[in-house]
Coordinates of all heavy atoms in Angstrom, one line a residue:
H12 N 0.9 -1.2 0.0 CA 0.0 0.0 0.0 C 0.9 1.2 0.0 O 2.0 1.3 0.7 CB -0.9 0.0 1.3 CG -1.8 -1.2 1.4 ND1 -3.1 -1.1 1.2 CD2 -1.5 -2.5 1.7 CE1 -3.6 -2.3 1.4 NE2 -2.6 -3.1 1.8
G13 N 0.5 2.3 -0.7 CA 1.3 3.5 -0.8 C 0.8 4.4 -1.9 O -0.3 4.2 -2.5
P14 N 1.6 5.3 -2.3 CA 1.3 6.3 -3.3 C 1.1 5.7 -4.7 O 1.9 4.9 -5.1 CB 2.4 7.3 -3.2 CG 3.6 6.5 -2.7 CD 3.0 5.6 -1.7
W15 N 0.1 6.2 -5.3 CA -0.1 5.9 -6.8 C 0.1 7.2 -7.6 O -0.7 8.0 -7.7 CB -1.5 5.4 -7.0 CG -1.8 5.1 -8.4 CD1 -2.6 6.0 -9.3 CD2 -1.5 4.0 -9.3 NE1 -2.6 5.5 -10.6 CE2 -2.0 4.2 -10.6 CE3 -0.8 2.8 -9.0 CZ2 -1.8 3.3 -11.6 CZ3 -0.6 1.9 -10.1 CH2 -1.1 2.2 -11.3
D16 N 1.3 7.3 -8.2 CA 1.7 8.5 -9.0 C 2.6 8.0 -10.1 O 3.8 8.2 -10.1 CB 2.4 9.5 -8.1 CG 2.7 10.7 -8.7 OD1 2.3 10.9 -9.9 OD2 3.4 11.6 -8.2
P17 N 2.0 7.3 -11.1 CA 2.8 6.8 -12.2 C 3.8 7.8 -12.9 O 4.9 7.4 -13.3 CB 1.8 6.3 -13.2 CG 0.6 6.0 -12.4 CD 0.6 7.1 -11.3
E18 N 3.4 9.0 -13.0 CA 4.2 10.0 -13.7 C 5.6 10.1 -12.9 O 6.5 10.6 -13.5 CB 3.5 11.3 -13.8 CG 2.3 11.3 -14.7 CD 1.7 12.7 -14.9 OE1 2.2 13.6 -14.2 OE2 0.7 12.8 -15.7
N19 N 5.6 9.8 -11.6 CA 6.8 9.9 -10.9 C 7.3 8.6 -10.5 O 8.1 8.5 -9.4 CB 6.5 10.8 -9.6 CG 6.3 12.3 -10.0 OD1 7.2 12.9 -10.6 ND2 5.2 12.8 -9.6
G20 N 6.8 7.6 -11.2 CA 7.3 6.2 -10.9 C 6.8 5.5 -9.7 O 7.3 4.5 -9.3
L21 N 5.8 6.1 -9.1 CA 5.2 5.4 -7.9 C 3.9 4.7 -8.3 O 3.0 5.2 -8.7 CB 4.8 6.5 -6.9 CG 6.0 7.3 -6.4 CD1 5.6 8.5 -5.5 CD2 7.1 6.5 -5.8
R22 N 3.9 3.3 -8.1 CA 2.8 2.5 -8.6 C 2.4 1.5 -7.5 O 2.2 0.3 -7.8 CB 3.2 1.7 -9.8 CG 3.4 2.6 -11.0 CD 3.9 1.8 -12.3 NE 4.0 2.6 -13.5 CZ 3.0 2.9 -14.3 NH1 1.8 2.4 -14.1 NH2 3.2 3.6 -15.4
C23 N 2.4 1.9 -6.2 CA 1.9 1.1 -5.2 C 0.4 0.7 -5.5 O -0.4 1.6 -5.7 CB 2.0 1.7 -3.8 SG 3.7 2.1 -3.3
D24 N 0.1 -0.6 -5.4 CA -1.3 -1.0 -5.7 C -1.5 -2.3 -5.0 O -1.1 -3.4 -5.4 CB -1.5 -1.1 -7.2 CG -2.9 -1.5 -7.6 OD1 -3.7 -1.8 -6.7 OD2 -3.2 -1.5 -8.8
A25 N -2.3 -2.2 -3.9 CA -2.6 -3.4 -3.1 C -3.5 -4.4 -3.8 O -3.7 -5.5 -3.3 CB -3.2 -3.0 -1.7
S26 N -4.0 -4.1 -4.9 CA -4.9 -5.0 -5.6 C -4.0 -6.1 -6.4 O -4.5 -7.1 -6.8 CB -5.8 -4.3 -6.6 OG -5.2 -3.8 -7.6
K27 N -2.7 -5.8 -6.5 CA -1.9 -6.6 -7.2 C -1.0 -7.5 -6.2 O -0.3 -6.9 -5.4 CB -0.9 -5.9 -8.2 CG -1.7 -4.8 -9.0 CD -2.8 -5.5 -9.8 CE -3.5 -4.4 -10.6 NZ -4.8 -4.9 -11.2
L28 N -1.1 -8.8 -6.4 CA -0.2 -9.7 -5.6 C 1.2 -9.6 -6.1 O 1.4 -9.9 -7.3 CB -0.8 -11.1 -5.5 CG 0.0 -12.0 -4.7 CD1 -0.2 -11.7 -3.2 CD2 -0.3 -13.5 -5.0
L29 N 2.2 -9.3 -5.3 CA 3.5 -9.2 -5.8 C 4.3 -10.4 -5.3 O 4.2 -10.9 -4.3 CB 4.2 -7.9 -5.2 CG 3.5 -6.6 -5.5 CD1 4.2 -5.5 -4.8 CD2 3.3 -6.3 -6.9
V30 N 5.2 -10.9 -6.3 CA 6.1 -12.0 -5.9 C 7.3 -11.4 -5.1 O 7.5 -10.2 -5.2 CB 6.6 -12.8 -7.1 CG1 5.5 -13.5 -7.8 CG2 7.3 -11.8 -8.0
D31 N 8.0 -12.2 -4.4 CA 9.1 -11.8 -3.6 C 10.4 -11.7 -4.6 O 10.8 -12.6 -5.2 CB 9.4 -12.8 -2.6 CG 10.5 -12.4 -1.6 OD1 11.2 -11.4 -1.9 OD2 10.7 -13.1 -0.6
P32 N 10.9 -10.5 -4.7 CA 12.1 -10.3 -5.6 C 13.3 -11.2 -5.1 O 14.2 -11.4 -5.9 CB 12.4 -8.8 -5.6 CG 11.8 -8.3 -4.3 CD 10.6 -9.2 -4.1
Y33 N 13.3 -11.6 -3.9 CA 14.3 -12.5 -3.3 C 13.8 -13.9 -3.2 O 14.4 -14.6 -2.4 CB 14.9 -11.9 -2.0 CG 15.9 -10.8 -2.2 CD1 15.5 -9.4 -2.6 CD2 17.3 -11.0 -2.1 CE1 16.3 -8.5 -2.7 CE2 18.2 -10.0 -2.3 CZ 17.7 -8.7 -2.6 OH 18.7 -7.7 -2.8
G34 N 12.7 -14.2 -3.8 CA 12.2 -15.5 -3.7 C 13.1 -16.6 -4.2 O 13.8 -16.4 -5.2
K35 N 13.2 -17.8 -3.6 CA 14.1 -18.8 -4.0 C 13.4 -19.9 -4.7 O 14.0 -20.9 -5.2 CB 14.8 -19.3 -2.8 CG 15.7 -18.3 -2.1 CD 16.4 -18.8 -0.9 CE 17.3 -17.8 -0.3 NZ 16.5 -16.7 0.3
A36 N 12.0 -19.9 -4.9 CA 11.2 -20.8 -5.6 C 9.9 -20.2 -5.9 O 9.4 -19.3 -5.2 CB 11.1 -22.1 -4.9
F37 N 9.3 -20.6 -7.1 CA 8.0 -20.0 -7.5 C 7.1 -21.1 -8.0 O 7.6 -22.1 -8.4 CB 8.2 -18.9 -8.6 CG 9.0 -17.8 -8.2 CD1 10.4 -17.7 -8.4 CD2 8.4 -16.6 -7.7 CE1 11.1 -16.6 -8.0 CE2 9.1 -15.5 -7.3 CZ 10.5 -15.5 -7.5
D38 N 5.8 -20.8 -7.8 CA 4.8 -21.8 -8.2 C 3.7 -21.1 -9.0 O 3.4 -19.9 -8.8 CB 4.2 -22.5 -7.0 CG 3.3 -23.6 -7.3 OD1 3.5 -24.3 -8.3 OD2 2.3 -23.8 -6.6
G39 N 3.0 -21.8 -9.9 CA 2.0 -21.2 -10.7 C 2.5 -20.5 -12.0 O 3.6 -20.7 -12.3
E40 N 1.6 -19.8 -12.6 CA 1.9 -19.1 -13.8 C 1.3 -17.7 -13.9 O 0.2 -17.5 -13.2 CB 1.4 -19.9 -15.0 CG 2.0 -21.3 -15.2 CD 3.4 -21.3 -15.6 OE1 3.8 -20.2 -16.2 OE2 4.1 -22.3 -15.5
F41 N 1.8 -16.9 -14.7 CA 1.1 -15.6 -15.1 C 0.3 -16.0 -16.3 O 0.8 -16.5 -17.3 CB 2.1 -14.5 -15.5 CG 2.9 -14.0 -14.3 CD1 4.2 -14.4 -14.0 CD2 2.3 -13.0 -13.5 CE1 4.9 -13.9 -13.0 CE2 3.0 -12.4 -12.5 CZ 4.3 -12.9 -12.2
D42 N -1.0 -15.8 -16.2 CA -1.9 -16.3 -17.3 C -2.3 -15.2 -18.3 O -3.1 -15.4 -19.2 CB -3.1 -17.0 -16.7 CG -4.0 -16.1 -15.9 OD1 -3.8 -14.8 -15.9 OD2 -5.0 -16.6 -15.2
G43 N -1.8 -14.0 -18.1 CA -2.1 -12.9 -19.1 C -3.4 -12.2 -18.8 O -3.8 -11.3 -19.6
D44 N -4.1 -12.5 -17.7 CA -5.4 -11.9 -17.4 C -5.2 -10.4 -17.2 O -4.2 -9.9 -16.8 CB -5.9 -12.4 -16.1 CG -7.3 -12.0 -15.8 OD1 -8.3 -12.5 -16.4 OD2 -7.5 -11.2 -14.9
S45 N -6.3 -9.7 -17.5 CA -6.2 -8.2 -17.5 C -5.9 -7.7 -16.0 O -5.4 -6.5 -15.9 CB -7.5 -7.6 -18.0 OG -8.6 -8.0 -17.2
S46 N -6.2 -8.5 -15.0 CA -6.0 -8.0 -13.7 C -4.5 -7.9 -13.3 O -4.2 -7.2 -12.3 CB -6.7 -9.0 -12.7 OG -6.0 -10.2 -12.8
L47 N -3.6 -8.4 -14.1 CA -2.2 -8.4 -13.9 C -1.7 -7.0 -14.2 O -0.6 -6.6 -13.8 CB -1.5 -9.4 -14.7 CG -1.7 -10.9 -14.4 CD1 -1.2 -11.8 -15.4 CD2 -1.2 -11.2 -13.0
F48 N -2.4 -6.2 -14.9 CA -2.0 -4.9 -15.3 C -2.6 -3.8 -14.4 O -3.8 -3.9 -14.0 CB -2.4 -4.6 -16.8 CG -1.7 -5.5 -17.8 CD1 -2.3 -6.8 -18.1 CD2 -0.4 -5.3 -18.3 CE1 -1.7 -7.7 -18.9 CE2 0.2 -6.2 -19.2 CZ -0.5 -7.4 -19.5
S49 N -1.8 -2.8 -14.1 CA -2.3 -1.7 -13.3 C -3.1 -0.7 -14.0 O -3.6 0.3 -13.5 CB -1.2 -1.1 -12.5 OG -0.2 -0.6 -13.5
Y50 N -3.3 -0.9 -15.3 CA -4.0 0.0 -16.2 C -4.9 -0.7 -17.1 O -4.7 -2.0 -17.3 CB -3.1 0.9 -17.0 CG -2.0 0.1 -17.8 CD1 -2.3 -0.3 -19.1 CD2 -0.8 -0.2 -17.2 CE1 -1.4 -1.1 -19.8 CE2 0.1 -1.0 -17.9 CZ -0.2 -1.4 -19.2 OH 0.7 -2.2 -19.9
D51 N -5.8 -0.1 -17.6 CA -6.8 -0.7 -18.6 C -6.0 -0.9 -20.0 O -5.5 0.1 -20.5 CB -8.0 0.2 -18.8 CG -9.1 -0.5 -19.7 OD1 -8.7 -1.1 -20.7 OD2 -10.3 -0.4 -19.4
I52 N -6.0 -2.1 -20.4 CA -5.2 -2.4 -21.7 C -5.7 -1.5 -22.8 O -4.9 -1.1 -23.7 CB -5.3 -3.9 -22.0 CG1 -4.7 -4.8 -21.0 CG2 -4.7 -4.1 -23.4 CD1 -3.2 -4.6 -20.8
N53 N -7.0 -1.3 -22.9 CA -7.5 -0.5 -24.0 C -7.5 1.0 -23.8 O -7.8 1.8 -24.6 CB -9.0 -1.0 -24.3 CG -9.1 -2.4 -24.7 OD1 -8.3 -2.8 -25.6 ND2 -10.0 -3.2 -24.1
N54 N -7.3 1.4 -22.5 CA -7.2 2.8 -22.2 C -6.1 3.0 -21.0 O -6.4 3.0 -19.8 CB -8.6 3.2 -21.7 CG -8.6 4.7 -21.3 OD1 -7.6 5.5 -21.6 ND2 -9.6 5.2 -20.6
P55 N -4.9 3.1 -21.4 CA -3.8 3.1 -20.5 C -3.9 4.2 -19.5 O -3.2 4.1 -18.4 CB -2.5 3.3 -21.4 CG -2.9 2.7 -22.7 CD -4.4 3.1 -22.8
E56 N -4.7 5.3 -19.7 CA -4.9 6.3 -18.8 C -5.8 6.0 -17.6 O -5.9 6.6 -16.6 CB -5.4 7.6 -19.5 CG -4.4 8.1 -20.6 CD -3.1 8.5 -20.1 OE1 -3.0 9.0 -18.9 OE2 -2.1 8.2 -20.8

């Protein structure tokens, strides 16, 4: 959770589950669903 200000590089969004950048193993797949994106694919604004 935190500031949402893409113009300044701030994209905190608690609706998105984040993987651990220091994770030592991963499970599952990214399936390409629209929910993975923080913006509307058809309307990036």
Side-chain angles (χ1 to χ4, degrees):
H12 303 252
W15 174 262
D16 185 6
E18 290 186 359
N19 290 300
L21 302 177
R22 294 178 175 272
C23 294
D24 185 348
S26 71
K27 311 307 176 191
L28 181 72
L29 306 180
V30 296
D31 185 350
Y33 280 77
K35 298 180 180 66
F37 295 91
D38 187 34
E40 297 289 343
F41 289 99
D42 64 8
D44 188 77
S45 62
S46 64
L47 295 168
F48 298 88
S49 59
Y50 53 89
D51 187 319
I52 296 297
N53 298 313
N54 181 13
E56 300 300 319

